[in-house]
Amino acid sequence: MLDKMENPVAPIQQPSVLVQADIKDRFYRHFQQECTEIQEQIALLEDYSLVGGEKQDAINHVLSGISRLSTEVSDSSGLIPAHDQRIYAQAIKALEEKLEETRSKFAPRSRFKFKTTQKNSSAVSINDAAELAAKQRLEPPSISGTGSSNESSMATTPASLMSPPNEIDAKDTLGDLPSFPKNYNEEMTRGSAGPIRKPSFSQATNVNISGHNGLHIILPSSASRATSSGSLTKLNRCIVDMSVPTANNAPFAGLMLKNIKGSLIIAGHVAGAAHITGVENSIIVVASRQVRMHDCQNVDVYLHCASRPIIEDCSNVRFSPIPQCYVTSSEEPVQNQWDQVDDFKWLKSEHSPNWNLLPEEKRLQEEIWTTVVPGGPGVGTEDILRKIGIITR
């Protein structure tokens, strides 16, 4: 009798289940991070100008991110449970709706418009999903069951996060995507004695530096994970060097410099557009696919640009090729159009009086960039700004 019985102990599938659970968990964290980045980009749209297609470029970048995320979900359908796929699709739909809502604020008012009679009744709360993601990182993945693709990686949702039975069919709204608790601007403000700050940005997905005076900020290589976008605003007599984290195949997707005075900004490398607005009496070093400047005056720009730089409502802007010490292999095969500037507010055939080329004898020499700009013991921010000519005696 026993000879005819099948072995009641099935082969252990634990390793494959663990691998599958790890794939689900990693994709889930990746999806959450991408959603957060896109929502932050949507929130920044209002800071871009409508003139010259600046805002439309930013919108197109967001659309591209949403499309890429949707494609990633589709391509991973064989590894993601059907239940999770529906949640991801709902979150993507909510991002699309948020983008359209934001765009409607900038669009001209229309006399007639279609009215929607019903909101998306299947939207998912990302707040709940974020709490669950944090729980999953603290607990080992479950190995119960057979590991079927129909099981959800979110099946272990605690009771406190589950919707009551009478609310299962109720309308949900997309909650705010999780924000990062660490405030790097606050950390830089209350930093140790001395002007130099080296914020890691290791817990962030983008770089946001704002509201500082007299600081020397150098981003280390750990900030390379935060280059989805960059934003530098409200800086006075500062030095900011972002060249290291953006040099090794991790350029900013887009960069915004706004309301900066008397500062040196080594912006690093930008895969998309660099938008520079309201900068005065400063020096900027940047390598970018596109550069657009608005309302700037008395600015020297050391530039590598793959397209014709654009200025508007600017005065006394001088251009020079980027210093060799900041050139990487990604720039070398691309023609540098640093001197092919278009002034959108100067339509005459004569050269615009608002910009010029920085004479070679007035350009900062290579040794200044490699020995003076990095600073050192006992060297203050104003000492460096004085040596490079931003602060005059």
Side-chain angles (χ1 to χ4, degrees):
M1 182 70 177
L2 291 176
D3 293 337
K4 296 181 180 180
M5 290 181 61
E6 298 180 355
N7 186 356
V9 180
I12 297 175
Q13 299 296 324
Q14 180 172 332
S16 61
V17 174
L18 283 173
V19 170
Q20 187 179 41
D22 181 63
I23 292 174
K24 294 175 186 177
D25 185 58
R26 283 190 286 113
F27 186 88
Y28 187 76
R29 291 196 301 270
H30 167 72
F31 185 88
Q32 286 293 108
Q33 180 177 347
E34 292 295 313
C35 279
T36 302
E37 293 175 3
I38 291 172
Q39 180 157 323
E40 290 172 343
Q41 292 167 11
I42 293 174
L44 288 173
L45 289 178
E46 63 182 13
D47 294 329
Y48 292 100
S49 170
L50 286 168
V51 180
E54 179 178 323
K55 190 181 294 292
Q56 187 58 50
D57 282 349
I59 291 173
N60 290 341
H61 181 70
V62 174
L63 287 170
S64 176
I66 295 175
S67 176
R68 182 179 65 254
L69 188 59
S70 179
T71 301
E72 289 177 355
V73 172
S74 177
D75 291 344
S76 303
S77 59
L79 303 173
I80 305 172
H83 177 266
D84 291 12
Q85 292 179 45
R86 289 193 296 270
I87 293 179
Y88 295 146
Q90 291 163 12
I92 290 172
K93 177 66 175 176
L95 287 173
E96 293 171 340
E97 292 173 351
K98 180 64 176 178
L99 175 60
E100 286 306 311
E101 177 186 346
T102 304
R103 292 179 68 179
S104 67
K105 297 177 182 178
F106 315 130
R109 290 179 177 266
S110 175
R111 174 174 291 182
F112 303 103
K113 63 180 180 180
F114 292 104
K115 293 183 177 180
T116 57
T117 59
Q118 183 175 336
K119 292 285 186 180
N120 181 6
S121 62
S122 60
V124 61
S125 169
I126 299 299
N127 281 337
D128 289 356
E131 291 184 38
L132 178 60
K135 178 179 176 62
Q136 287 178 331
R137 285 193 290 274
L138 296 175
E139 296 181 358
S142 173
I143 59 172
S144 60
T146 60
S148 169
S149 61
N150 289 326
E151 292 180 355
S152 169
S153 60
M154 303 173 196
T156 57
T157 304
S160 61
L161 298 182
M162 295 179 64
S163 300
N166 60 338
E167 294 183 8
I168 292 177
D169 296 325
K171 295 180 180 178
D172 281 336
T173 58
L174 181 71
D176 292 335
L177 292 173
S179 60
F180 294 97
K182 189 163 185 177
N183 188 330
Y184 288 98
N185 282 300
E186 181 180 340
E187 179 184 85
M188 285 184 278
T189 300
R190 67 171 196 271
S192 58
I196 296 181
R197 304 289 188 272
K198 295 185 178 182
S200 68
F201 283 96
S202 59
Q203 297 180 28
T205 57
N206 61 7
V207 171
N208 180 3
I209 299 174
S210 181
H212 299 292
N213 183 60
L215 291 186
H216 188 171
I217 301 169
I218 302 174
L219 298 195
S221 58
S222 60
S224 61
R225 69 190 65 187
T227 57
S228 63
S229 64
S231 174
L232 274 60
T233 60
K234 301 177 182 177
L235 303 178
N236 183 47
R237 293 197 172 193
C238 288
I239 299 173
V240 180
D241 186 349
M242 305 187 292
S243 60
V244 171
T246 62
N248 299 320
N249 298 318
F252 287 116
L255 177 67
M256 178 180 70
L257 309 180
K258 189 173 183 179
N259 298 336
I260 297 172
K261 296 182 179 180
S263 299
L264 167 62
I265 307 297
I266 303 172
H269 304 263
V270 185
H275 299 281
I276 305 170
T277 305
V279 177
E280 302 177 8
N281 305 318
S282 298
I283 296 175
I284 296 174
V285 182
V286 64
S288 182
R289 179 179 60 82
Q290 185 180 61
V291 169
R292 298 189 176 211
M293 300 182 66
H294 301 273
D295 301 310
C296 296
Q297 58 183 348
N298 302 327
V299 180
D300 288 348
V301 183
Y302 290 79
L303 179 66
H304 188 287
C305 193
S307 60
R308 297 174 69 93
I310 295 171
I311 67 170
E312 186 171 13
D313 295 318
C314 296
S315 63
N316 195 27
V317 179
R318 303 187 297 180
F319 292 88
S320 171
I322 194 170
Q324 189 61 36
C325 60
Y326 297 117
V327 176
T328 67
S329 57
S330 61
E331 278 87 44
E332 291 177 350
V334 180
Q335 180 183 359
N336 188 4
Q337 301 187 46
W338 64 276
D339 56 350
Q340 305 298 309
V341 182
D342 290 328
D343 186 348
F344 277 9
K345 286 298 180 70
W346 185 263
L347 304 180
K348 299 179 182 179
S349 58
E350 295 87 357
H351 187 282
S352 167
N354 299 316
W355 72 274
N356 217 321
L357 303 183
L358 184 61
E360 288 192 28
E361 64 272 14
K362 293 187 177 181
R363 298 174 189 174
L364 297 177
Q365 299 302 307
E366 200 75 18
E367 63 182 20
I368 297 295
W369 296 109
T370 57
T371 61
V372 174
V373 170
V379 180
T381 303
E382 293 207 357
D383 295 332
I384 299 174
L385 294 177
R386 188 173 290 112
K387 288 180 179 179
I388 63 178
I390 290 181
I391 296 179
T392 57
R393 296 183 184 274

